[in-house]
Amino acid sequence: SFSLAVQSACFVGLTCQLLDVWMEPIDLSTPVDIRVPFTSLQTVKAFLETEDIPYSIMIMDLQVMLDEEQDQMLSARAAAPRTTDDYDYSNYHAIADIYSFQDMLVAENPNLVSKIVIGQSYQGRPLNVLKFSTGGTNRPGIWLDTGIHSREWVTQASGTWFAKKIVTDYGRDAALTAILDKMDIFLEIVTNPDGYYYTHNSNRMWRKTRKPNPGSSCVGTDPNRNWDAGFGEPGSSDSPCSETYRGPEAHSESEVKSIVDFVKSHGNLKAFVSIHSYSQMILYPYGYTSTPCKDQSELHDLAMKAITDLASLYGTSYRYGSIINTIYQASGTTVDWTYNQGIKYSYTFELRDTGRYGFILPANQILPTAKETWLALMAIMEHTKDNTN
Amino acid sequence: MTTGVLNPSHYPARRAATVVQHYLNTRYGSPYRWIFLSKVHSGSAEDMAEMRKYQLELTMQEMISNVSGQCSAELLFPGGEGQSAPQVQASCEGLLQSNPTAQEEAFYQQHRASNNMVSGSNIPDSYGHMEPSMKPFWHLGGVASSCIMLRESNESTLYNMAQVANFTQLETEKDQLRFNYHVLLHEMISQEIIHWKLLVTWSPEQGVKVLQTELQPKCHDCEAPPNTTN
C-alpha cells in the first residue's frame, strides 16, 4: 500500500518533505496524488517502478498550467466589457456576464431596447426579456427564446449575438428595419437561469429547472414538457428523476408560467421561435400528436425556405418537419402550446451540431452558428411580417 | 412502427442510420479514424418474423480526413424480449480512403512503452476545448463508446457520445494499449446522460476492443432510476 511505500521511501533516503501529497492515502483502492518537484522526479519514478507501484501522470508540468491560469485570470479581469462592442460574442459566458450585457445593450440603445422582467426563476433569478421596438402600442410581436434547456450553451450564446445583431442592423439592413418598423421583437436569452448557473458550477449536462420534487431526491422539471398542450400524454415522463419529467402539473415551473402569462397578456404575438441544440433541425407543431396541424403546408414550406437560407452561409445542412415525425413524440412542448394559442408561426430550432460535439460545441463555432441561424430567423420573421396586418 | 419506404428526414431512418455509424466505428474506428453519419439518402423497413429489417443508402464522413463515402447498409433489429444488439452489414465506397496508418503507428509506438502512462479528463471541456494531445484519446473514446452504443441501440434510441469524463492508460498487455475510460453517452429520446466505464484495448492491427463495460449509477444526488413511480 502507498502509505507503507512512503515509509520505506523515507528509509531509503528519499526526503519525505519533498513529496507534496495532494490526496492523502485513504484506502487501498483510492489513488494517492502527489506533486513531485522536478529535482526529485527521476528518483521518485525509479522508486515507484522498483516497488512495482503503478502510477500515472495527471499533470506533466504544473508550472505551465499555473502560468496559463494566471494569464486567463488576468485577461478575464482586463476584458470585462464596458460596452456591447467589447463583449466577446465568440465565447461562452457566465450568467452574470449575460445579465450585464443585457443592461448595457439597453443603456446604449434606449430608444430601441428595453428590458422586461416577466417573472422569477425558482431560485429567484430574474427572467429577463429584451424588447426591441420602434414605437406603436402593442404592435404585433415576434418572440425568440434561447437556453430553456440549460446545457444547450450555443443557444444562449447565439441569443446574445442576435440581440446585438438587431441593434446593429436596425437602420442599416432594409429587411430587419422593415420588420421592426411594423412589429416588435421579444428575446429571452437565459430562459432557464437556475439551470444555466448549475451547468457552470456543478453539472455541465444539466437540462431541467432546479426546482426540487417533493418526495423525491431528484430535482427539476423539463421545461419543454411542462406546457399545457397534450400535457401528460406519451412523450414526457411522470418520473421526477427523468430528464423529460413533465412536472406535477402544466405550467408548474415559474420559468414556463412567466412566458405563458406574458404571451396571454400581450395577446398579439404572431411568431414564436424556441431555440435548442443539438441536431440541426427546424421543427413545427405538433409533437404530442401525429394529426397534422392545420397550417402544416405553409409551415413546411417556410421551414424549407429557412433551412435553405441557413445553408447558404456555410453549407450547414438542416432537416425539417413536424416534431413528431422528425425527432420523436414529445408532449407538453412550448411550440405546441403557442401554436394552439393562435401563434401560427411557431417553430422549434435545434442548432449545431449533429452529435460529434453535441452539447459541448467548441466556442469557435458560436459565431458561425449564430450567423447562419440568423438567416433562418430572418426568413421566418419576414414571412410573418408579410402575412400580418 | 413505420414500414415500407422511409422518409430520409424522419426519425426512423435517422435512428437506423446512426446504428450503422456505430457499427462502422466498431469495425474501422481508431484514434485517427472516427466516422459520422452525414446524410440519409433513402431507406426502407420491413417486418420479418420477430425482427425488423432496414435497408439504407447513406453518406458517411470520416471526421479527421473529412473524406466522405457512400454506404449501403442492412440492419436487423431483434424483436421479442431479448436485449440483443442489432445486426448490421454495410459496404462503403471511398469512405476508408484515408490512410491513417502512419499516425496510428506513431501514436502506438509513443504510448506502448510503460514508463509514461497518460490520462486526461473532461474531453472536451465545458467550452468544447481540448488539448491537441488529447484529441486521439477523444476519438478513441468515441470509437469505444460506439461498441456500447451499438449494443444498446434499438428503434427507440439515438445515441451519441457526449464527453469523455476521464481516461487512464494502463500497462500495455499483449502488445495492446490499454485504457480505463469513463464516458458520458447522450440518448436523444429519453434525453438521458448515461455513464459507462469501459476497459478498452487498441493496437493498429487489432483495432479497438472493449473488454469490460460497467454502467454507472445515474448521478450522486439522485438514487432512483428513471422508471420509479413517485
Side-chain angles (χ1 to χ4, degrees), chain A residues 49 55-58 60 92 151 153 198 204-205 207 217-218 238-244 278-279 319 324-328 354-357 359-363, chain B residues 9-11 14-15 36 63 115-117 119 124-128 130 138 160-163 168 184 186 188-193 218 221-224 226 228 230:
Chain A
E49 277 154 28
Y55 68 89
S56 63
I57 299 174
M58 290 164 58
M60 279 294 230
Y92 296 112
R151 61 190 180 196
W153 279 17
Y198 198 73
R204 175 62 178 83
M205 297 293 173
R207 166 185 168 91
S217 56
C218 294
D238 65 357
S239 165
C241 295
S242 166
E243 294 286 11
T244 57
Y278 60 93
S279 285
R319 293 183 287 138
I324 196 168
N325 284 339
T326 313
I327 188 169
Y328 42 57
T354 55
R356 183 183 186 196
Y357 287 96
F359 300 118
I360 331 187
L361 196 69
Chain B
S9 286
H10 291 178
Y11 70 74
R14 195 75 189 186
R15 289 178 196 174
F36 276 86
M63 297 313 276
N115 60 1
N116 194 357
M117 299 286 143
S119 62
D125 68 14
S126 289
Y127 304 84
M130 73 189 80
W138 178 49
N160 282 296
M161 181 181 76
Q163 190 185 39
T168 309
L184 274 53
H186 173 232
M188 185 73 72
I189 285 77
S190 64
Q191 292 292 348
E192 298 292 333
I193 300 291
K218 176 171 171 172
D221 60 339
C222 59
E223 288 148 19
T228 301
N230 53 347

Coordinates of all heavy atoms in Angstrom, one line a residue, chain A residues 49 55-58 60 92 151 153 198 204-205 207 217-218 238-244 278-279 319 324-328 354-357 359-363, chain B residues 9-11 14-15 36 63 115-117 119 124-128 130 138 160-163 168 184 186 188-193 218 221-224 226 228 230:
Chain A
E49 N 8.8 2.4 -9.7 CA 8.9 1.3 -10.6 C 9.6 0.1 -9.9 O 9.1 -1.0 -10.1 CB 9.7 1.7 -11.9 CG 8.8 2.4 -12.9 CD 9.5 3.3 -13.8 OE1 10.7 3.1 -14.1 OE2 8.9 4.3 -14.3
Y55 N 1.6 4.0 -11.5 CA 1.3 5.4 -11.4 C 1.0 6.0 -12.7 O 1.3 5.3 -13.8 CB 2.6 6.2 -10.8 CG 3.8 6.2 -11.7 CD1 3.9 7.2 -12.7 CD2 4.7 5.2 -11.7 CE1 5.0 7.3 -13.5 CE2 5.8 5.2 -12.5 CZ 6.0 6.3 -13.5 OH 7.0 6.3 -14.3
S56 N 0.3 7.1 -12.7 CA 0.1 7.8 -14.0 C 0.3 9.2 -13.8 O 0.1 9.8 -12.7 CB -1.4 7.5 -14.5 OG -2.3 8.0 -13.6
I57 N 0.6 9.9 -14.9 CA 0.9 11.3 -14.8 C -0.3 12.1 -15.0 O -0.9 12.1 -16.1 CB 2.0 11.7 -15.8 CG1 3.3 10.9 -15.4 CG2 2.3 13.2 -15.7 CD1 4.4 11.1 -16.4
M58 N -0.8 12.9 -14.0 CA -2.0 13.7 -14.2 C -1.7 15.0 -14.9 O -2.4 15.5 -15.7 CB -2.7 14.0 -12.9 CG -3.3 12.8 -12.2 SD -3.6 13.2 -10.5 CE -4.7 14.6 -10.6
M60 N 1.7 17.1 -16.4 CA 3.1 16.9 -16.8 C 4.0 18.0 -16.2 O 5.1 17.8 -15.6 CB 3.3 17.0 -18.3 CG 3.0 15.8 -19.0 SD 4.3 14.6 -18.6 CE 4.7 14.0 -20.2
Y92 N -18.3 31.5 -24.5 CA -19.4 31.2 -23.6 C -19.2 32.0 -22.3 O -18.1 32.2 -21.8 CB -19.5 29.7 -23.2 CG -19.7 28.8 -24.4 CD1 -18.8 28.0 -24.9 CD2 -21.0 28.9 -25.0 CE1 -19.0 27.2 -26.0 CE2 -21.3 28.1 -26.1 CZ -20.3 27.2 -26.6 OH -20.5 26.4 -27.7
R151 N -28.2 23.1 -20.7 CA -26.9 22.6 -21.2 C -26.7 23.0 -22.7 O -25.6 22.7 -23.2 CB -26.9 21.1 -21.0 CG -27.9 20.3 -21.8 CD -28.0 18.8 -21.4 NE -29.0 18.0 -22.1 CZ -29.4 16.8 -21.7 NH1 -28.8 16.3 -20.6 NH2 -30.3 16.2 -22.3
W153 N -25.6 25.3 -24.5 CA -24.9 26.6 -24.4 C -24.8 27.4 -25.7 O -24.8 28.6 -25.6 CB -23.5 26.4 -23.9 CG -23.4 26.2 -22.4 CD1 -24.5 25.9 -21.5 CD2 -22.3 26.2 -21.6 NE1 -24.0 25.8 -20.2 CE2 -22.6 26.0 -20.2 CE3 -20.9 26.5 -21.9 CZ2 -21.7 26.0 -19.2 CZ3 -20.0 26.5 -20.8 CH2 -20.4 26.3 -19.5
Y198 N -26.3 26.3 -12.9 CA -25.9 24.9 -12.4 C -24.9 24.3 -13.4 O -24.0 23.5 -13.1 CB -27.2 24.1 -12.3 CG -27.0 22.8 -11.4 CD1 -26.8 22.9 -10.1 CD2 -27.0 21.6 -12.0 CE1 -26.6 21.8 -9.3 CE2 -26.8 20.4 -11.3 CZ -26.6 20.5 -9.9 OH -26.5 19.4 -9.1
R204 N -22.3 20.2 -16.1 CA -22.4 20.8 -17.4 C -23.6 20.2 -18.2 O -24.0 20.9 -19.2 CB -21.1 20.5 -18.2 CG -21.0 20.9 -19.6 CD -21.2 22.4 -19.8 NE -21.0 22.9 -21.2 CZ -22.0 22.8 -22.1 NH1 -23.2 22.3 -21.7 NH2 -21.8 23.2 -23.3
M205 N -24.0 19.0 -17.9 CA -25.1 18.3 -18.6 C -26.5 18.6 -18.1 O -27.4 17.8 -18.4 CB -24.8 16.8 -18.7 CG -23.5 16.5 -19.4 SD -23.6 16.9 -21.1 CE -21.9 16.6 -21.7
R207 N -30.2 19.8 -17.7 CA -31.1 20.2 -18.7 C -32.3 21.0 -18.1 O -32.8 21.9 -18.7 CB -31.6 18.9 -19.4 CG -32.9 19.0 -20.3 CD -33.2 17.6 -20.8 NE -34.5 17.5 -21.4 CZ -34.7 17.7 -22.7 NH1 -33.8 18.0 -23.5 NH2 -36.0 17.6 -23.2
S217 N -35.6 12.5 -4.4 CA -34.3 13.1 -4.2 C -33.9 13.7 -5.6 O -32.9 14.3 -5.7 CB -33.3 12.1 -3.8 OG -33.3 11.0 -4.7
C218 N -34.7 13.6 -6.6 CA -34.4 14.1 -7.9 C -35.0 15.5 -8.1 O -36.1 15.8 -7.7 CB -34.9 13.2 -9.0 SG -34.1 11.6 -9.0
D238 N -43.4 10.8 -16.2 CA -44.0 11.1 -14.9 C -43.0 10.9 -13.7 O -43.4 11.0 -12.6 CB -45.3 10.3 -14.7 CG -45.0 8.8 -14.5 OD1 -43.9 8.4 -14.7 OD2 -46.0 8.1 -14.3
S239 N -41.8 10.6 -14.1 CA -40.8 10.4 -13.0 C -39.9 11.6 -12.8 O -39.3 12.1 -13.8 CB -39.9 9.2 -13.4 OG -38.8 9.2 -12.5
P240 N -39.9 12.1 -11.6 CA -39.0 13.3 -11.3 C -37.5 13.1 -11.6 O -36.8 14.1 -11.9 CB -39.2 13.6 -9.8 CG -40.4 12.9 -9.4 CD -40.6 11.7 -10.4
C241 N -37.1 11.8 -11.7 CA -35.7 11.6 -12.0 C -35.4 11.6 -13.5 O -34.2 11.5 -13.9 CB -35.3 10.2 -11.4 SG -35.4 10.2 -9.6
S242 N -36.4 11.7 -14.3 CA -36.2 11.6 -15.7 C -35.9 13.0 -16.3 O -36.4 14.0 -15.8 CB -37.5 11.1 -16.3 OG -37.5 11.3 -17.7
E243 N -35.1 13.0 -17.3 CA -34.8 14.3 -18.0 C -35.9 14.9 -18.7 O -35.9 16.1 -19.1 CB -33.6 14.0 -19.0 CG -32.3 13.6 -18.4 CD -31.6 14.8 -17.7 OE1 -32.2 15.9 -17.5 OE2 -30.4 14.6 -17.4
T244 N -37.0 14.1 -19.0 CA -38.2 14.6 -19.6 C -39.4 14.6 -18.7 O -40.5 14.5 -19.1 CB -38.5 13.8 -20.9 OG1 -38.7 12.4 -20.5 CG2 -37.4 13.9 -21.9
Y278 N -28.9 19.9 -29.6 CA -28.4 19.9 -30.9 C -29.2 19.0 -31.9 O -30.0 18.3 -31.4 CB -26.9 19.5 -30.8 CG -26.8 18.1 -30.3 CD1 -26.7 16.9 -31.2 CD2 -26.7 17.8 -28.9 CE1 -26.6 15.6 -30.7 CE2 -26.6 16.5 -28.4 CZ -26.5 15.4 -29.3 OH -26.4 14.1 -28.8
S279 N -29.0 19.0 -33.1 CA -29.4 18.1 -34.1 C -29.6 18.8 -35.5 O -29.8 18.0 -36.5 CB -30.8 17.4 -33.8 OG -30.7 16.4 -32.8
R319 N -32.4 19.4 -41.2 CA -33.6 18.7 -41.6 C -34.8 19.5 -41.1 O -34.6 20.4 -40.3 CB -33.6 17.3 -41.0 CG -32.6 16.4 -41.6 CD -32.7 15.0 -41.0 NE -32.3 15.0 -39.6 CZ -32.9 14.3 -38.7 NH1 -34.0 13.6 -39.0 NH2 -32.4 14.2 -37.5
I324 N -43.1 15.5 -34.2 CA -43.4 14.1 -34.0 C -42.8 13.2 -35.1 O -42.4 12.1 -34.9 CB -44.9 13.8 -33.8 CG1 -45.1 12.4 -33.2 CG2 -45.7 14.0 -35.1 CD1 -46.5 12.2 -32.7
N325 N -42.7 13.7 -36.3 CA -42.2 12.9 -37.4 C -40.7 13.0 -37.5 O -40.0 12.0 -37.8 CB -42.7 13.4 -38.8 CG -44.1 13.0 -39.1 OD1 -44.6 12.1 -38.5 ND2 -44.7 13.8 -39.9
T326 N -40.1 14.1 -37.1 CA -38.7 14.4 -37.4 C -37.8 13.9 -36.3 O -36.7 13.5 -36.5 CB -38.5 15.9 -37.7 OG1 -39.5 16.3 -38.7 CG2 -37.1 16.1 -38.3
I327 N -38.3 14.1 -35.0 CA -37.4 13.8 -33.9 C -38.0 12.7 -33.0 O -37.4 11.7 -32.8 CB -36.9 15.1 -33.2 CG1 -35.8 14.7 -32.2 CG2 -38.0 15.9 -32.6 CD1 -35.1 16.0 -31.6
Y328 N -39.1 13.0 -32.4 CA -39.8 12.0 -31.6 C -41.1 12.6 -31.1 O -41.4 13.8 -31.2 CB -39.0 11.6 -30.4 CG -38.2 12.7 -29.6 CD1 -38.9 13.8 -29.1 CD2 -36.8 12.6 -29.4 CE1 -38.2 14.8 -28.4 CE2 -36.2 13.6 -28.7 CZ -36.8 14.7 -28.2 OH -36.1 15.7 -27.6
T354 N -24.5 17.7 -35.1 CA -25.3 16.6 -35.2 C -24.8 15.4 -34.3 O -25.2 14.3 -34.5 CB -25.4 16.1 -36.6 OG1 -24.1 15.8 -37.1 CG2 -26.2 17.0 -37.5
G355 N -23.9 15.7 -33.4 CA -23.5 14.7 -32.4 C -22.1 14.6 -32.2 O -21.6 14.0 -31.2
R356 N -21.2 15.1 -33.0 CA -19.8 15.0 -32.8 C -19.4 15.6 -31.5 O -18.7 15.0 -30.7 CB -19.0 15.6 -34.0 CG -17.5 15.4 -33.9 CD -16.9 16.1 -35.0 NE -15.5 15.9 -35.0 CZ -14.6 16.6 -35.7 NH1 -15.0 17.6 -36.5 NH2 -13.3 16.3 -35.7
Y357 N -19.8 16.9 -31.3 CA -19.6 17.6 -30.0 C -20.8 17.7 -29.2 O -20.7 17.7 -28.0 CB -19.0 19.0 -30.3 CG -17.6 19.1 -30.8 CD1 -17.3 19.2 -32.1 CD2 -16.6 19.0 -29.9 CE1 -16.0 19.2 -32.6 CE2 -15.2 19.1 -30.3 CZ -15.0 19.2 -31.6 OH -13.7 19.3 -32.1
F359 N -23.7 18.8 -27.0 CA -23.9 20.0 -26.2 C -22.7 20.8 -26.0 O -22.7 22.0 -25.8 CB -24.5 19.6 -24.8 CG -25.8 18.8 -24.9 CD1 -25.9 17.5 -24.5 CD2 -26.9 19.4 -25.5 CE1 -27.1 16.8 -24.5 CE2 -28.1 18.7 -25.6 CZ -28.2 17.4 -25.1
I360 N -21.5 20.2 -26.0 CA -20.3 20.9 -25.7 C -19.6 21.4 -27.0 O -18.5 21.0 -27.4 CB -19.3 20.0 -25.0 CG1 -19.9 19.0 -24.1 CG2 -18.5 20.9 -24.0 CD1 -19.0 18.2 -23.2
L361 N -20.4 22.2 -27.7 CA -19.9 22.7 -29.0 C -18.7 23.7 -28.8 O -18.8 24.6 -27.9 CB -21.0 23.4 -29.7 CG -20.8 23.7 -31.2 CD1 -20.9 22.4 -32.0 CD2 -21.9 24.7 -31.7
P362 N -17.6 23.5 -29.5 CA -16.5 24.4 -29.3 C -16.9 25.9 -29.5 O -17.7 26.2 -30.4 CB -15.5 24.0 -30.3 CG -15.8 22.6 -30.6 CD -17.3 22.5 -30.5
A363 N -16.3 26.8 -28.7 CA -16.7 28.2 -28.7 C -16.4 28.8 -30.1 O -17.1 29.7 -30.5 CB -15.9 29.0 -27.7
Chain B
S9 N -35.8 12.2 -44.0 CA -35.8 13.3 -43.0 C -36.3 12.9 -41.6 O -36.1 13.6 -40.7 CB -36.6 14.5 -43.4 OG -35.9 15.2 -44.5
H10 N -37.1 11.8 -41.6 CA -37.8 11.5 -40.4 C -37.0 10.5 -39.6 O -36.0 10.0 -40.0 CB -39.1 10.8 -40.8 CG -40.1 11.8 -41.3 ND1 -41.4 11.4 -41.8 CD2 -40.0 13.1 -41.6 CE1 -42.0 12.5 -42.2 NE2 -41.2 13.5 -42.1
Y11 N -37.4 10.4 -38.3 CA -36.5 9.8 -37.4 C -36.3 8.3 -37.5 O -35.2 7.8 -37.2 CB -37.0 10.1 -35.9 CG -38.3 9.4 -35.5 CD1 -38.3 8.0 -35.2 CD2 -39.4 10.1 -35.3 CE1 -39.5 7.4 -34.8 CE2 -40.6 9.5 -34.9 CZ -40.6 8.2 -34.6 OH -41.8 7.6 -34.2
R14 N -33.3 7.9 -39.6 CA -32.2 8.5 -38.9 C -31.6 7.7 -37.8 O -30.4 7.6 -37.6 CB -32.6 9.9 -38.4 CG -31.6 10.8 -38.0 CD -30.9 11.4 -39.3 NE -29.7 12.2 -38.9 CZ -29.0 12.9 -39.7 NH1 -29.4 13.0 -40.9 NH2 -28.0 13.5 -39.2
R15 N -32.5 7.1 -37.0 CA -32.0 6.2 -35.9 C -31.3 5.0 -36.4 O -30.2 4.6 -35.9 CB -33.2 5.8 -35.0 CG -33.8 7.0 -34.2 CD -35.0 6.5 -33.4 NE -35.7 7.7 -33.0 CZ -36.9 7.6 -32.3 NH1 -37.4 6.4 -32.0 NH2 -37.5 8.7 -32.0
F36 N -18.8 9.5 -38.9 CA -20.1 10.1 -38.5 C -21.1 10.0 -39.7 O -20.7 10.2 -40.9 CB -20.0 11.5 -38.0 CG -19.6 11.6 -36.6 CD1 -18.3 11.6 -36.2 CD2 -20.6 11.7 -35.6 CE1 -18.0 11.7 -34.9 CE2 -20.3 11.8 -34.3 CZ -18.9 11.8 -33.9
M63 N -14.1 11.9 -39.9 CA -14.0 13.3 -39.4 C -12.6 13.8 -39.4 O -12.4 15.0 -39.3 CB -14.6 13.4 -37.9 CG -16.0 13.0 -37.8 SD -17.0 13.8 -39.1 CE -17.3 15.4 -38.3
N115 N 6.5 3.5 -19.3 CA 7.0 4.3 -18.3 C 6.4 5.7 -18.3 O 6.9 6.6 -17.6 CB 8.6 4.4 -18.4 CG 8.9 5.0 -19.7 OD1 8.1 5.3 -20.6 ND2 10.2 5.1 -20.0
N116 N 5.4 5.9 -19.1 CA 4.8 7.2 -19.1 C 3.3 7.1 -19.4 O 2.9 7.4 -20.5 CB 5.5 8.1 -20.2 CG 5.1 9.6 -20.0 OD1 4.3 9.9 -19.2 ND2 5.7 10.4 -20.8
M117 N 2.5 6.7 -18.4 CA 1.1 6.5 -18.6 C 0.4 7.8 -18.8 O 0.6 8.7 -18.0 CB 0.5 5.7 -17.4 CG 1.1 4.4 -17.2 SD 0.6 3.2 -18.4 CE 2.0 2.3 -18.7
S119 N -3.1 10.2 -19.0 CA -4.5 10.2 -18.5 C -5.1 11.6 -18.9 O -4.3 12.5 -19.2 CB -4.6 10.0 -17.0 OG -3.9 11.0 -16.3
P124 N -14.3 16.8 -24.6 CA -13.8 18.2 -24.4 C -14.3 18.8 -23.1 O -15.1 18.2 -22.4 CB -14.5 18.9 -25.6 CG -15.6 18.0 -26.1 CD -15.4 16.6 -25.5
D125 N -13.7 19.9 -22.8 CA -14.2 20.6 -21.5 C -15.5 21.3 -21.8 O -16.0 21.2 -22.9 CB -13.1 21.5 -21.0 CG -12.8 22.7 -21.8 OD1 -13.6 23.1 -22.7 OD2 -11.8 23.4 -21.6
S126 N -16.0 22.0 -20.7 CA -17.3 22.6 -20.9 C -17.4 23.6 -22.1 O -18.5 23.8 -22.5 CB -17.6 23.4 -19.6 OG -17.9 22.6 -18.5
Y127 N -16.3 24.1 -22.5 CA -16.3 25.1 -23.6 C -16.0 24.5 -24.9 O -15.8 25.2 -25.9 CB -15.3 26.2 -23.2 CG -15.6 26.8 -21.9 CD1 -15.1 26.2 -20.7 CD2 -16.4 28.0 -21.8 CE1 -15.4 26.8 -19.5 CE2 -16.6 28.5 -20.6 CZ -16.2 27.9 -19.4 OH -16.5 28.4 -18.2
G128 N -16.0 23.1 -25.0 CA -15.7 22.4 -26.2 C -14.3 22.4 -26.6 O -13.9 22.0 -27.7
M130 N -10.2 21.1 -26.1 CA -9.3 20.1 -25.6 C -7.9 20.3 -26.1 O -7.7 20.9 -27.2 CB -9.8 18.7 -26.1 CG -9.6 18.4 -27.5 SD -10.4 16.8 -28.0 CE -12.0 17.4 -28.3
W138 N -9.8 11.3 -27.4 CA -11.2 11.6 -27.6 C -11.8 10.7 -28.7 O -12.8 10.1 -28.5 CB -11.3 13.1 -28.0 CG -12.7 13.6 -28.2 CD1 -13.8 13.4 -27.5 CD2 -13.1 14.4 -29.3 NE1 -14.9 14.0 -28.1 CE2 -14.5 14.7 -29.2 CE3 -12.5 14.9 -30.4 CZ2 -15.2 15.4 -30.1 CZ3 -13.2 15.7 -31.3 CH2 -14.6 15.9 -31.2
N160 N -25.3 9.3 -28.9 CA -24.1 10.0 -29.2 C -23.2 10.0 -28.0 O -23.7 9.9 -26.9 CB -24.3 11.4 -29.7 CG -24.8 11.5 -31.1 OD1 -24.2 11.2 -32.0 ND2 -26.1 12.0 -31.2
M161 N -21.9 10.0 -28.2 CA -21.0 10.2 -27.0 C -21.0 11.7 -26.7 O -20.7 12.5 -27.6 CB -19.6 9.7 -27.3 CG -18.7 9.9 -26.0 SD -17.0 9.4 -26.2 CE -16.4 10.8 -27.2
A162 N -21.3 12.1 -25.5 CA -21.4 13.5 -25.1 C -20.0 14.0 -24.6 O -19.7 15.2 -24.9 CB -22.4 13.7 -23.9
Q163 N -19.3 13.1 -23.9 CA -18.0 13.6 -23.4 C -17.2 12.4 -22.9 O -17.8 11.4 -22.4 CB -18.3 14.6 -22.2 CG -17.0 15.3 -21.7 CD -17.4 16.2 -20.5 OE1 -18.1 15.8 -19.6 NE2 -16.8 17.4 -20.4
T168 N -7.7 6.7 -18.3 CA -6.3 6.5 -17.7 C -5.7 5.3 -18.4 O -6.4 4.3 -18.7 CB -6.5 6.0 -16.2 OG1 -7.3 7.0 -15.5 CG2 -5.1 5.9 -15.5
L184 N -19.5 9.6 -21.1 CA -20.9 10.0 -21.0 C -21.6 9.9 -22.3 O -21.1 10.4 -23.3 CB -21.0 11.5 -20.5 CG -20.9 11.8 -19.1 CD1 -19.7 11.2 -18.4 CD2 -20.9 13.4 -18.9
H186 N -25.1 10.4 -24.6 CA -26.4 11.1 -24.6 C -27.4 10.2 -25.4 O -27.1 9.9 -26.6 CB -26.2 12.4 -25.2 CG -27.5 13.2 -25.5 ND1 -27.8 13.7 -26.7 CD2 -28.5 13.4 -24.6 CE1 -29.0 14.3 -26.6 NE2 -29.4 14.2 -25.3
M188 N -30.9 10.4 -27.1 CA -31.7 11.6 -27.5 C -33.2 11.4 -27.1 O -33.8 12.5 -26.8 CB -31.6 11.7 -29.1 CG -32.3 12.9 -29.7 SD -31.4 14.4 -29.3 CE -30.0 14.3 -30.4
I189 N -33.8 10.3 -27.2 CA -35.2 10.2 -27.0 C -35.6 10.4 -25.5 O -36.5 11.1 -25.2 CB -35.8 8.8 -27.6 CG1 -35.8 8.9 -29.1 CG2 -37.2 8.5 -27.1 CD1 -34.5 8.7 -29.8
S190 N -34.8 9.8 -24.6 CA -35.0 10.0 -23.2 C -34.3 11.2 -22.7 O -34.6 11.7 -21.6 CB -34.5 8.8 -22.4 OG -33.1 8.7 -22.6
Q191 N -33.4 11.7 -23.5 CA -32.5 12.9 -23.2 C -31.6 12.6 -22.0 O -31.1 13.5 -21.3 CB -33.4 14.1 -22.9 CG -34.0 14.7 -24.2 CD -33.0 15.2 -25.2 OE1 -31.9 15.4 -24.8 NE2 -33.5 15.5 -26.4
E192 N -31.4 11.3 -21.6 CA -30.6 11.0 -20.5 C -29.1 11.0 -20.8 O -28.7 10.8 -22.0 CB -30.9 9.6 -20.0 CG -32.4 9.4 -19.5 CD -32.6 10.2 -18.2 OE1 -31.7 10.4 -17.4 OE2 -33.8 10.6 -18.0
I193 N -28.3 11.3 -19.8 CA -26.9 11.2 -19.9 C -26.5 9.9 -19.2 O -26.8 9.8 -18.0 CB -26.2 12.4 -19.3 CG1 -26.6 13.7 -20.0 CG2 -24.6 12.2 -19.3 CD1 -26.1 13.9 -21.4
K218 N -26.9 6.8 -12.1 CA -27.2 8.0 -12.9 C -26.5 9.2 -12.3 O -25.8 10.0 -13.1 CB -28.7 8.2 -12.9 CG -29.0 9.5 -13.6 CD -30.5 9.7 -13.8 CE -30.8 11.1 -14.3 NZ -32.2 11.3 -14.8
D221 N -26.7 12.7 -6.8 CA -27.7 13.4 -6.0 C -29.1 12.9 -6.3 O -30.1 13.5 -5.9 CB -27.6 14.9 -6.1 CG -27.8 15.4 -7.5 OD1 -27.6 14.6 -8.5 OD2 -28.1 16.5 -7.8
C222 N -29.2 11.8 -7.0 CA -30.5 11.2 -7.1 C -30.3 9.7 -7.2 O -29.5 9.2 -8.1 CB -31.3 11.7 -8.2 SG -30.7 11.6 -9.8
E223 N -31.0 8.9 -6.5 CA -30.7 7.5 -6.5 C -31.7 6.7 -7.3 O -31.4 5.6 -7.8 CB -30.7 6.9 -5.1 CG -29.5 7.4 -4.3 CD -29.9 7.6 -2.8 OE1 -30.9 7.0 -2.4 OE2 -29.1 8.3 -2.1
A224 N -32.9 7.2 -7.4 CA -34.0 6.3 -8.1 C -33.7 6.3 -9.6 O -33.4 7.3 -10.2 CB -35.3 6.9 -7.8
P226 N -34.8 6.0 -13.6 CA -35.8 6.9 -14.3 C -37.2 6.3 -14.2 O -38.2 7.0 -14.3 CB -35.3 6.9 -15.7 CG -33.9 6.7 -15.6 CD -33.6 5.8 -14.4
T228 N -38.9 4.8 -11.8 CA -39.5 4.7 -10.5 C -40.8 5.5 -10.4 O -40.8 6.7 -10.9 CB -38.5 5.2 -9.4 OG1 -37.3 4.5 -9.5 CG2 -39.1 5.1 -8.0
N230 N -43.6 7.7 -8.4 CA -43.5 8.5 -7.2 C -44.7 8.4 -6.4 O -45.7 7.9 -6.8 CB -43.1 10.0 -7.6 CG -44.1 10.5 -8.6 OD1 -44.9 9.8 -9.2 ND2 -44.0 11.8 -8.7

